Amino acid sequence: MSPSHRFNCEAYKISKTALNHLTVEWANQLAEHGSGQKRTAAGQSEAGSNEEGWSVVAFSPGWLRTSLGGPYVEHDVEYGAKAVVEFVGRMGVQENGKFIMDDGTSPPW
């Protein structure tokens, strides 16, 4: 492995780690400030939906057929775009701070 190729792999891994950490930090800040909660007329709190609150998530559309993924990867870019749009359409505050895969699973951090 050439030094430049090794550097690129390390930089990619570090950038992913930083993004994951930022996701958790922002999610925790939102939770501390009550984002994603709405108050009923009786003053009780209940979980809000996408329209009432914010959620911060890391979403992976999976390994896609791109110049990075290569020509033999199962899913194309359109699959990835559709996965993101469908997830955003159904997500709520309960996903705040999670890492979500294209199949809906949420592996532990």
Side-chain angles (χ1 to χ4, degrees):
M1 179 182 297
S2 72
S4 65
H5 186 263
R6 197 171 119 226
F7 174 77
N8 289 334
C9 290
E10 291 166 353
Y12 177 80
K13 291 175 186 178
I14 291 167
S15 71
K16 288 300 209 181
T17 301
L19 179 61
N20 291 345
H21 183 76
L22 184 61
T23 299
V24 171
E25 286 295 318
W26 282 353
N28 288 338
Q29 288 177 24
L30 285 171
E32 289 171 8
H33 291 89
S35 181
Q37 297 293 312
K38 63 181 180 181
R39 299 285 173 191
T40 65
Q44 298 172 330
S45 103
E46 60 182 19
S49 69
N50 303 4
E51 296 172 1
E52 289 88 19
W54 289 86
S55 293
V56 178
V57 299
F59 182 83
S60 172
W63 195 246
L64 303 176
R65 197 174 322 120
T66 63
S67 58
L68 177 65
Y72 304 109
V73 176
E74 178 181 2
H75 298 298
D76 59 16
V77 173
E78 288 78 18
Y79 168 89
K82 183 178 178 184
V84 171
V85 169
E86 287 177 357
F87 172 73
V88 169
R90 69 176 183 271
M91 73 179 270
V93 295
Q94 65 274 12
E95 280 87 20
N96 191 38
K98 292 183 179 179
F99 179 80
I100 310 289
M101 301 294 294
D102 61 318
D103 64 0
T105 59
S106 181
W109 285 109

